[in-house]
Amino acid sequence: MKQFLLIAFCAASLTAMAPAPSEAAQIKRACLASDRSAATRARCSCIQRVADQALTRGDQKTVAKWFTDPHQAQELKMSQTSRDDALWDRYKNFGQMAQAICN
């Protein structure tokens, strides 16, 4: 009985930690929705896997918007706040990793 409860608790914990479907694969969906010819399902999936390693869920939500409005990325890049600078650094790192792994 104790083992069953432990397994049930672990399963519930994992479910609670998993992102909601609306939050999962934001980069992949934005990539696939873009009109870029290189946006294949395989490449967008790879980019999402890299994003999962390099960006927080909040970062991914922000970056996904840049696929449809790249000007937002430029505005963030030009921002003078340390928070925006940190996001830009994470984004550059993500881009370098995705290019190295997914090409």
Side-chain angles (χ1 to χ4, degrees):
M1 181 67 168
K2 286 182 182 181
Q3 186 176 11
F4 171 76
L5 291 175
L6 180 61
I7 292 170
F9 176 75
C10 290
S13 297
L14 290 174
T15 303
M17 291 172 37
S22 62
E23 295 175 346
Q26 293 179 9
I27 300 291
K28 179 182 176 182
R29 280 184 278 129
C31 177
L32 289 171
S34 72
D35 60 355
R36 295 172 177 96
S37 61
T40 64
R41 183 166 295 283
R43 181 166 287 140
C44 292
S45 294
C46 179
I47 291 169
Q48 179 64 56
R49 285 190 302 274
V50 174
D52 289 340
Q53 294 174 14
L55 301 171
T56 67
R57 260 189 261 158
D59 291 348
Q60 290 183 39
K61 184 176 180 180
T62 300
V63 171
K65 293 176 186 175
W66 297 350
F67 280 82
T68 55
D69 187 4
H71 183 68
Q72 288 183 12
Q74 186 64 27
E75 287 180 0
L76 184 123
K77 181 180 178 183
M78 294 301 169
S79 172
Q80 298 297 313
T81 69
S82 59
R83 180 178 174 211
D84 289 347
D85 287 346
L87 173 54
W88 187 254
D89 289 343
R90 290 189 303 274
Y91 175 70
K92 285 191 321 185
N93 181 51
F94 155 69
Q96 291 168 349
M97 288 173 56
Q99 188 172 25
I101 295 169
C102 301
N103 280 339

